[in-house]
Every structure is written in C-alpha cells, then in structure tokens.
Amino acid sequence: MDTKLANPRIGGQETDEPLLTVDDLRTHFAVGGGTVKAVDGVSFALHRGRTLGVVGESGSGKTVLSRSIMGLNIAANASSSGSVRYDGEEMIGKTTKQMRLLWGAEMAMVFQDPMTSLNPVVKVGRQLTEHVRYHLDISKGEAKNVAVALLKSVRIPEAERRLDAFPHQMSGGMRQRVCIAMALACGPRLLFADEPTTALDVTVQHQILNLLAEQQRDRAMAMVLVTHDLGVVAGRTDDIVVMYAGRVVESAPTDVLFSELRHPYTQGLLWSIPRTTQPKHTRLNAITGRPPDLINPPPGCKFAPRCPYAQDKCREEVPELRSSGTPGHSFACHYPVGSPENEAAFQANLDAGVPAALSAAGRAAAKEEVGV
Amino acid sequence: MAGSGTAHLRPAEDVLLRVEDLVVEFPQGRGRVVHAVSGISFDIAAGETLGLVGESGCGKSTTGRAVLQLPPPTSGSVTLDGEDLTGVGSGTMRERRTKLQMIFQDPISSLNPRRTIGEVVAEPLGVWGPKKKDAQWETVARVLDDVGIDPGVARYKRPHEFSGGQCQRISIARALVMEPELIICDEPVSALDVSIQAQILNLLEDLKKEHGLTLVFIAHDLAVVKNISDRVAVMYLGKMCEISEADELYANPAHPYTEVLLESSPIPDPGIDVEDVDVLEGDLPSPLAPPSGCRFRTRCTRATDVCTTDEPQMRRISEEHYVACHHPLIEPAETVVSVGVGE
C-alpha cells in the first residue's frame, strides 16, 4: 500500500476489543404526525477487518442506522440515543465539528447513487483530494500525486487524464470507483457502503463488490455493507444483521444465517429472490403486503401483519432477541422457522386462509388491499 | 456479437409481432451518430413472453420503444398482426397503440402527481373508450381490482399516497384498461425491493393468464427475466447475441457474453466463492463508434482476428436456440453435422 495514503493518526495496535460497538441505538425523527422511529433499539459489534451485512427492505431503517453511527443525521428534527462506541470512544453527542475530524479519516461512506453523490461542476481530481488536504495538510502538487495513486488503486485507466474530467464524462461504474477512491483516500478503518451497487448493472456490480473486498483486505478495514439483496451479501460478509421496521429481527454469521435461518422475515426475503437455477415461470413465494407505518407501528411483532405464521400472541407481545443456541445467532420471533410451534401455526393459518400463509405456500396469493 | 441475420425468425403467420432488421440511430450533430440499435430481429407468438436482457446502454429500452414507434426506427420493419407499423400514418398509429401498451421503470414518476388514480387509469378510455364517466369507472374499477388495488379506496387518492409497489400496480392497471394485445414492460421491477418485486412478477404471470397477454419484458436482472419469460434474447451494444428458450439458455449459454452475465448475477448462497468467477473487465464501448466485426470482441476472452473483420451471423444450435458468435461455447448444429464427431 502506498504509505502516502496511510493516516498518521492511526496507531494500529491490535486488540480484541471490537472497533465499533453499537448498543441500543435509537434514532427518531419528529414529524407532523408524530415520531418516526426509524432505528429503534439496534445493537451489534463489529471487529477490525470484518464485514457486516445489514439487510432489509426500503424503510427498514438500514440507511438511517449507518448515517446515525457516522453522525450524519444532522437535521433539527432528528435525535439519536443509545451508545455508539468507535475505538473505545463514544460517538453519540459529538458535535458536527468534532465528527468532521473523523469523517473520511477514520470512517467513510460510499453512497448508493454515484450519479448524485459527486459534485457535477467540480473536476474529479479536486473532489478526490479535498478532504485529503483537509486531514493531512498537504500541498496541491502532493494532492495530485495522491489522487493519481488513488485512481490507479481502484483501477481506473488513464488516471492522470481523468483528474481533469467532470463526473458526467464517466460511466456509472467509473463514478462509483471514484466514490470508493474518495472514501478510501485518508485510509479509514471503518467503511460504510450503502447500497453501493443498486444503481449498477450486474457485471459492474460484480466488479465493484470485488474491488471493495480487495481494498478491504489490503487495508484491513472493517466494512458495513448495507443492501436489500441477500444475494449480494451471501459470499461477501462475515456476519449479517436483518432489519425490519427499525429493529434487528435476526443476526448471525453469514453461513449460519443461510443454513439455519429462524426468522420468518429472513425466510421471506430469501424466498422472494428469483434464481437462475429455478425453471422458468416458477411461482415466487412473495411476502405479502408492505413494510409498516413507522409512526404508528402495529403492536406486538411488527412483521405480524405480513407473516405467514403470525398468531394472536404475535399481535400482542413484542418478541425479544434471543439466542438460537448456535454461537452468534439470535432472532426475535415467537414461532421461529423450523420449530414444531411454527409448523402448527402455519397449518392453522393455512386452514384459516390467511393470505400471507397462502402466498408462502406458493398458492395464488389473495389480492393485496390498499390500506393507506 | 453482432448478431445480424434472421435465421432465428419463425414463419410470419405463427407470430403476433415480428421485428426485422430494426435500426435506431440518433444523430448527435457534426456527423456523429449514436448507434443505439443496429439490425435486431425477433418475433413473438401470441401469449408468449419474450425477455430482453443486457447491460445499460445495450439498446434494450430503445428496441422496446421502437416497437411502439416512439420514435419510429431509422430503418427495419415492425409487423403487428400482419401490418407493418413503420409505414402507417400517425393517425392510424394512434389507433394501433391501443393494442400496444407500455409499463415503465419508475412507477412513481410515470404517474401524473396532480391527478387522482381514477383519472390516471381512465385517461386512455377518455380517448378511445366509452364517453360516459360511469361506464369508464366500471372498467377502471374492474382493472384496479385485477391488479390488487381496492378501487373504492384508490379512486380519489393521488400517486404520492401510494408506495412504489402499489404505483407499479396502478401503472399496470393503466396499461390493461385498453385491453391490449402486447405490453412492453421496460424494467418494471428494477426500482422495487425484492419482496415487492416478487409480488409484481407473480401479478404479471396471473394477469397474463387471465387477460391472454403477450409480453416483452425488458430487464438487466437475469434471474428476473428467466422467471417470467418463455424465450430470452441477450443484447449487447445494439446487437443481439443469443436468443433461446429460457431454460435452455440458462442451462447451456452459447455466447461468451451470456456466460459472463450469468456468472455475474448474485446468488444467495454463501457457499459460492464469488470472487473466483470471471468478471467482465472494462466498460461498454461508445455507441458513437462501435467496434468493427463483433461488437463484443473488445471484452471477449475468446476473440480472434475473424471477430475484428467479420460480423457473426445468427446460427442455429438447436430447435429454439440461436447464437451470433464466431467461437460459441456450443458449436452450432450445422458445424457438428459436417464434422461428424460423435463423442
């Protein structure tokens, strides 16, 4: 690795303590109709050099979670509580001015849309090194060398020439590479990638995910990969957290999650994905309905209205996260997948003709009604 | 990949839509021309779903729009029910478009935000259908119900009050209200979450059966395309590389580009080493000056001199499987017969 890119502030001492510990993090937004509980009691730990996948639908709070950890929810109506410890230091309550010393240098983010996350009227070279000059206090000439090295490290051909290009002169994949180079510029130890490939084609998605994995290994960074697609995180993360309506519903090491999943929502997400190995016209076992209103969420388990196994208990009592017995695997469900109670609940719902159960059984789903 | 040639077309009397040698070019001034679609041919039988896959910029959306004459293609023919649409006047074309409908990628921006759902879905009827509002509403209510939207609740609401998945259902209702023969779906599920995507795919399959629809399904996600299509055509930079019955294409891809696309698509299985597969390097060449010969040659691992000079033609691999490549992964039928190697 180019030593110029290393951050002098990083000590690099190896400890067993997690790099990032999130404990009971809550981020709420005050809006006209009440309070949106976008993140509502999330806890996890992330060790150095590891990759965590955060999975969920739109509105599950996964983006707000990563922005909360970085202290980017700076709107007047946003409030975060709980604890975020980065390298032993509490992040909640830091001012924007204090956080600015960490942004880019210690933690960085790659955003979803490479089309809009670059400034359209500033040349790529200057955008790349703006924060490098801020953090490392180097001259314009040195910054140029750093920018060339960065573009080469993310394998952009003709790096010198690209410094003078504007973002619109590059393709989407190329722009996402620039965004990654920018995020990596000061050698952060924690990288958030928020749906980094959702706006890109499959072939480019593959290139970008490989690039992120490679850079992460070379720099021993910890990474949080946020996505709605379980297919993207499958081979690329160490652990996965599944979020629904602002809460963690299941978390496990990646291989455990795929082989021993317990939460009906995780199962629904996995079943919804069409696969190239299935014959054509395979009926997908879709999750019915849509994510709940976060201002007035249903009582009890928030997934209950869409769950094929939901019983009265689910609609009344919020399930707490509990361990499955496998190390590192926990879930929040009264009738977990794979248990006898789950099978009984499913049969009862099938008999009663519950739409969610019929859909999960692969039968023609009852029509979704609009409940606005 | 060039894929010219018409070897894969079926007899004209068996198909609903036949597109031959479709060329769409956009002049950019100073003599420069974007070659968006360069000589594509395909056909669709009634009740069939044809999937069009390829990366951004391969011309798949332009192809879909050219079928609707939006804008009319530079050259080539589009034959619907035996009538060539490229020759008809604009008045006749307006009438023909009632049989051809389209569903767009972004469900929210494709609905007028200032109109109620009742007005949005009834608009085509205002032009071609019954003039009485009550009679229109009857049809609209039936179609909304078909797509799983409660007509009573939705009638006076506006698009912003619905989620993306619901807006896509409303767009589908708007397309269905004219009882079209052919619907062109341009990336209808790309903007949706996987869970909602599965709902919409199931819905399209159900509607296809109920209404006897024929679909052109344009998407970049191979798994989605396979799920819904009977036949799949793979496009690259304005050309067609391969066209085949869906199961056959995914089991035995013959074009190197199809293989790369298949390997790149994410599989929800942590046991697969994702970094170990071949990745397509580089970017799509500029459609202003596409490569000579086979357009895929600049990124193809199997390319040789002949790919630079000669454009590959569509060749038959099996009954329903055609490929346009000089060095396909499976040798086309004719070659196998003439060499006569039986292993």
Side-chain angles (χ1 to χ4, degrees):
Chain A
M1 197 176 82
D2 194 335
T3 46
K4 256 190 181 151
L5 304 182
N7 186 329
R9 271 195 292 264
I10 294 174
Q13 68 274 34
E14 285 297 317
T15 54
D16 281 346
E17 204 182 303
L19 179 67
L20 178 73
T21 315
V22 176
D23 190 26
D24 199 30
L25 178 65
R26 288 166 201 271
T27 299
H28 295 179
F29 296 92
V31 294
T35 306
V36 174
K37 296 175 180 169
V39 175
D40 201 23
V42 170
S43 307
F44 65 84
L46 178 61
H47 287 265
R48 286 160 225 277
R50 306 271 290 180
T51 307
L52 175 77
V54 178
V55 181
E57 285 171 280
S58 316
S60 61
K62 54 193 194 304
T63 295
V64 175
L65 173 69
S66 43
R67 294 179 71 97
S68 302
I69 295 168
M70 278 192 76
L72 289 172
N73 290 317
I74 47 179
N77 67 341
S79 64
S80 287
S81 64
S83 157
V84 173
R85 295 186 78 77
Y86 173 81
D87 205 15
E89 207 177 330
E90 180 61 47
M91 295 287 121
I92 298 285
K94 275 194 187 283
T95 62
T96 302
K97 204 172 167 188
Q98 290 169 320
M99 288 305 292
R100 196 168 284 156
L101 293 172
L102 299 172
W103 289 336
E106 287 288 318
M107 43 176 86
M109 191 178 253
V110 178
F111 296 92
Q112 171 169 359
D113 189 351
M115 311 295 157
T116 54
S117 53
L118 292 172
N119 187 334
V121 294
V122 176
K123 286 178 182 171
V124 163
R126 208 181 109 204
Q127 295 196 52
L128 265 170
T129 49
E130 201 176 356
H131 59 309
V132 180
R133 293 190 63 202
Y134 177 86
H135 286 299
L136 305 183
D137 193 25
I138 54 176
S139 73
K140 267 192 175 170
E142 281 172 306
K144 193 179 167 190
N145 294 337
V146 172
V148 171
L150 279 167
L151 288 182
K152 282 184 177 154
S153 75
V154 293
R155 288 204 232 97
I156 288 184
E158 302 176 84
E160 285 88 354
R161 202 170 60 81
R162 293 287 177 184
L163 293 181
D164 287 327
F166 287 99
H168 74 266
Q169 294 169 312
M170 301 178 140
S171 68
M174 201 79 99
R175 273 182 264 189
Q176 196 60 297
R177 283 170 194 268
V178 171
C179 292
I180 291 171
M182 207 189 286
L184 297 176
C186 298
R189 286 188 289 167
L190 175 61
L191 181 71
F192 291 91
D194 186 2
E195 304 256 14
T197 58
T198 307
L200 306 172
D201 281 313
V202 279
T203 49
V204 184
Q205 165 171 301
H206 205 102
Q207 293 172 0
I208 296 290
L209 290 172
N210 280 359
L211 174 69
L212 279 172
E214 188 189 292
Q215 294 288 335
Q216 185 200 10
R217 262 197 310 272
D218 289 354
R219 295 159 185 258
M221 270 186 322
M223 182 158 82
V224 178
L225 185 59
V226 178
T227 175
H228 69 275
D229 190 345
L230 275 169
V232 166
V233 291
R236 303 186 181 272
T237 52
D238 300 303
D239 302 282
I240 293 180
V241 165
V242 181
M243 285 186 72
Y244 188 76
R247 305 180 72 115
V248 175
V249 292
E250 186 160 15
S251 75
T254 303
D255 49 340
V256 174
L257 187 89
F258 280 89
S259 57
E260 303 172 21
L261 66 92
R262 304 302 301 274
H263 201 282
Y265 180 60
T266 315
Q267 185 186 45
L269 279 183
L270 201 56
W271 280 359
S272 296
I273 304 174
R275 299 171 190 228
T276 52
T277 45
Q278 291 165 336
K280 62 184 179 185
H281 302 306
T282 301
R283 193 169 185 89
L284 299 168
N285 301 331
I287 306 176
T288 55
R290 58 204 182 92
D293 174 7
L294 292 174
I295 297 179
N296 295 305
C301 174
K302 292 180 175 53
F303 185 58
R306 306 172 73 190
C307 180
Y309 315 115
Q311 301 295 308
D312 289 341
K313 187 183 178 189
C314 306
R315 289 180 273 270
E316 289 152 11
E317 201 181 309
V318 179
E320 293 300 322
L321 268 180
R322 55 181 160 130
S323 171
S324 74
T326 310
H329 184 191
S330 54
F331 59 93
C333 181
H334 294 306
Y335 298 91
V337 173
S339 65
E341 306 90 72
N342 171 276
E343 280 167 34
F346 189 44
Q347 196 54 49
N349 282 349
L350 273 183
D351 294 343
V354 174
L358 293 177
S359 177
R363 300 186 199 159
K367 280 169 184 156
E368 184 203 16
E369 295 299 331
V370 176
V372 181
Chain B
M1 138 168 338
S4 291
T6 52
H8 56 292
L9 293 182
R10 294 169 285 189
E13 57 274 18
D14 297 350
V15 297
L16 174 72
L17 178 82
R18 185 181 175 121
V19 172
E20 243 178 301
D21 252 336
L22 188 77
V23 176
V24 184
E25 292 172 349
F26 300 106
Q28 296 294 295
R30 283 179 289 164
R32 297 187 307 166
V33 172
V34 170
H35 301 268
V37 177
S38 309
I40 292 243
S41 304
F42 60 90
D43 53 21
I44 308 167
E48 199 174 58
T49 302
L50 174 74
L52 281 183
V53 263
E55 292 172 277
S56 315
C58 74
K60 54 193 194 301
S61 293
T62 308
T63 304
R65 301 179 70 105
V67 170
L68 288 162
Q69 312 295 308
L70 289 171
T74 312
S75 67
S77 70
V78 176
T79 316
L80 179 76
D81 277 342
E83 184 184 22
D84 186 355
L85 298 179
T86 50
V88 305
S90 60
T92 324
M93 193 55 221
R94 265 171 72 85
E95 207 174 321
R96 296 294 176 271
R97 283 209 188 97
T98 59
K99 291 197 257 174
L100 299 162
Q101 291 289 319
M102 193 153 185
I103 302 168
F104 299 92
Q105 173 167 2
D106 184 345
I108 295 167
S109 69
S110 63
L111 299 175
N112 188 332
R114 306 181 64 166
R115 298 215 174 154
T116 65
I117 300 307
E119 287 167 355
V120 165
V121 180
E123 193 175 6
L125 291 175
V127 183
W128 296 105
K131 292 289 171 252
K132 287 234 169 68
K133 291 275 184 238
D134 290 354
Q136 287 183 6
W137 174 244
E138 216 171 275
T139 315
V140 170
R142 198 184 63 235
V143 178
L144 281 176
D145 190 54
D146 279 351
V147 298
I149 299 282
D150 182 339
V153 175
R155 185 171 186 178
Y156 297 110
K157 287 185 183 292
R158 285 169 217 274
H160 73 268
E161 295 174 83
F162 294 89
S163 66
Q166 289 170 327
C167 283
Q168 198 57 287
R169 286 169 188 266
I170 293 163
S171 301
I172 294 172
R174 178 177 58 182
L176 280 177
V177 81
M178 292 313 295
E179 292 171 10
E181 291 178 22
L182 180 75
I183 299 186
I184 293 169
C185 313
D186 189 2
E187 303 252 14
V189 295
S190 317
L192 307 173
D193 272 317
V194 279
S195 53
I196 310 297
Q197 168 179 299
Q199 291 176 4
I200 298 291
L201 288 174
N202 283 345
L203 175 71
L204 283 171
E205 288 276 16
D206 293 342
L207 292 172
K208 201 183 137 197
K209 283 193 203 93
E210 282 170 38
H211 293 257
L213 295 170
T214 307
L215 302 179
V216 177
F217 194 94
I218 299 168
H220 66 268
D221 184 328
L222 281 125
V224 166
V225 166
K226 181 177 185 188
N227 184 270
I228 196 150
S229 305
D230 298 298
R231 296 170 83 217
V232 174
V234 182
M235 288 183 66
Y236 183 84
L237 205 62
K239 294 278 187 184
M240 194 176 282
C241 322
E242 187 166 7
I243 183 166
S244 165
E245 186 275 328
D247 288 333
E248 161 72 13
L249 182 82
Y250 289 79
N252 305 307
H255 202 286
Y257 180 60
T258 314
E259 193 192 32
V260 174
L261 274 185
L262 272 173
E263 287 190 347
S264 305
S265 57
I267 300 164
D269 179 354
I272 292 169
D273 186 0
V274 283
E275 286 180 61
D276 201 30
V277 304
D278 294 334
V279 190
L280 203 54
E281 290 297 339
D283 278 333
L284 202 67
S286 165
L288 282 166
S292 65
C294 173
R295 290 192 179 177
F296 184 56
R297 68 178 165 83
T298 54
R299 300 166 84 187
C300 182
T301 50
R302 300 167 79 95
T304 58
D305 289 345
V306 67
C307 305
T308 318
T309 51
D310 295 352
E311 189 181 340
Q313 299 292 307
M314 275 287 174
R315 290 190 289 169
R316 179 171 169 271
I317 286 176
S318 64
E319 189 55 42
E320 296 189 73
H321 192 173
Y322 293 82
V323 67
C325 177
H326 291 301
H327 310 290
L329 304 166
I330 306 169
E331 274 307 307
E334 295 91 329
T335 323
V336 174
V337 172
S338 63
V339 175
V341 180
E343 265 188 84

